[in-house]
Amino acid sequence: MNWLSRLIAGAVRACGLEPAGKASGNIQFFIYDVVKIMLLPGAVIPLISCIQSYFPPERSRRILAL
C-alpha cells in the first residue's frame, strides 16, 4: 500500500507540515491506519453477506452439526 502512504504524505505536505517531523509522522500513521481499518470491513461485510445469501441458517446449522 505504498500508493496510500505516498498520497497521505503528499496531503500532509500540502497542509504545510514537514514530512520528517514528529507531528506529521503521527498524523500520517493515524490516517493510514484509519483507511486500512475501514477498507477491511468494507471488503469483508459484502463477502459475508453473499455467503449468507447462499447458506440459509438452517443449512449452516445442519453443516455444523456433522
Side-chain angles (χ1 to χ4, degrees), residues 27-61:
I27 292 169
Q28 287 179 18
F29 175 77
F30 177 76
I31 294 171
Y32 183 76
D33 276 357
V34 166
V35 170
K36 282 194 319 186
I37 291 168
M38 290 300 156
L39 285 176
L40 182 63
V44 171
I45 290 172
L47 178 68
I48 291 172
S49 298
C50 288
I51 291 171
Q52 285 180 339
S53 70
Y54 287 110
F55 291 104
E58 299 82 28
R59 185 172 178 191
S60 299
R61 284 189 196 105

